[in-house]
Amino acid sequence: METLNTFAAESLALLEKKHLGRSLITTERHEGVMVYRNGKSLISFSSNDYLGLSRHPQVIMAAQMALTRYGAGAGASRLAGGEHPLYAELESLLSELKHTEAALVFGSGYLSNLGAIPALVGPHDLIIADKLVHACMIDAAKLSGATLMRYAHNNLEHCHALLEDHRNDYQRCIILTETVFSMDGDVAPVKSIAALARRYDAWVMVDDAHGLGVLPDATEGADIIMGTLSKAAGTYGGYVCASKKVIQLLQSNARSLVFSTALPPATIAAAIASISIIQKDSELREIPLKRAQYFSSIMKKSAAQSAVYPVIIGEAERAIAVSQHLEASGFYVPAIRPPTVPPATARLRFAFTAQHTEDHLNDVAAALRGHL
Ligand SMILES: *Cc1c(COP(=O)(O)O)cnc(C)c1O
């Protein structure tokens, strides 16, 4: 017990020294873009609820009705009686949206990657991943036991060279990338990656966590599309879209699906409502990117490609200071530090939503200019 606490205290002290300590701060999300945090009302640029669907009346109503009708929890894993009828409806909507034969819903985006990747590749196989893919793809790659190689961010030549030099030493090969990179906001050339992969019999799997609902075409060409229901869809859960056979295999072999309880019916009902809105409302879908592009233009920086736009600061300590200045001016813009991003690239990460107005953007840009 004593060594345990000593270990924890020493590890924490080390993190603090590097300005990498993290703590949970209670944040109440209000209507629109307002949050209440550290005793203040702030305009938030931190939400991945890009379309505001977490508060959409139809989404809330769907969840309320399912909650009343089916109760709070699923009661079992999907394979052992937790296979609620709403799952099939959600999965058919997702596969329709992504133009695949089938889809499979998991407990979260993290659990989707953690289940799917080790079900597809193992110790004799090769994973080639973009240098900047999300931690859960890397965790899944490690769990799979496959050899993991990384290519420089969005660098097709490097990816090509790895395929050329190493593909033949392994049985199966999968290439992993995000569509919209979560901390950089830039977009992968998925179609070109897919064309390259075909020449080497490699499969392409994309993480579309920040593309869903914002960039409908970003997944085109991928063999396997995973994503989350917790960002633009405004609820919770994750999914994989692929061919029928692949989805059938995942139903048996994805351990995070097999050994974890099904999602609450209300969550699935909410996701059905929000995915339906995403599918129908193209005007709504276009707003987050427009807002991001407006911000990048008034900041006179390179044009935003998605709803995510980082302002790179450099050292973690400075990024925190700028974030604190913005908070004092009434804006919540989180400082993102290593290990979430590479060393010396600490940044402010702006996420733009359909609820932001041009006034919000003008105001935060003015406050930011004062502190850069
Ligand atoms: C948020 C995120 C995930 C995880 O999704 P959750 O549903 O929150 O577990 C996976 N990949 C990327 C790129 C993400 O940004």
Side-chain angles (χ1 to χ4, degrees), residues 108-110 113 134 136 178 182 207 209-210 226 228 230-231 236-237:
S108 70
Y110 193 111
N113 275 326
H134 194 262
C136 63
E178 291 181 32
S182 63
D207 181 333
H210 298 274
M226 71 70 58
T228 176
S230 67
K231 287 166 182 156
Y236 199 69

Side-chain angles (χ1 to χ4, degrees), residues 231-310:
K231 287 166 182 156
T235 62
Y236 199 69
Y239 61 87
V240 173
C241 291
S243 69
K244 243 186 210 138
K245 287 287 171 218
V246 168
I247 294 302
Q248 272 172 1
L249 177 67
L250 296 185
Q251 284 173 0
S252 296
N253 280 5
R255 293 172 64 86
S256 62
L257 181 100
V258 176
F259 296 107
S260 191
T261 299
L263 284 167
T267 305
I268 305 173
I272 290 170
S274 60
I275 295 295
S276 309
I277 294 167
I278 286 173
Q279 191 155 33
K280 286 184 201 123
D281 198 341
S282 60
E283 244 169 75
L284 178 67
R285 275 195 325 247
E286 284 164 10
I287 306 175
L289 175 61
K290 279 189 189 149
R291 293 291 180 270
Q293 285 170 338
Y294 180 79
F295 179 78
S296 60
S297 78
I298 58 175
M299 288 300 292
K300 302 194 168 46
K301 289 180 179 289
S302 61
Q305 296 173 40
S306 70
V308 176
Y309 196 79

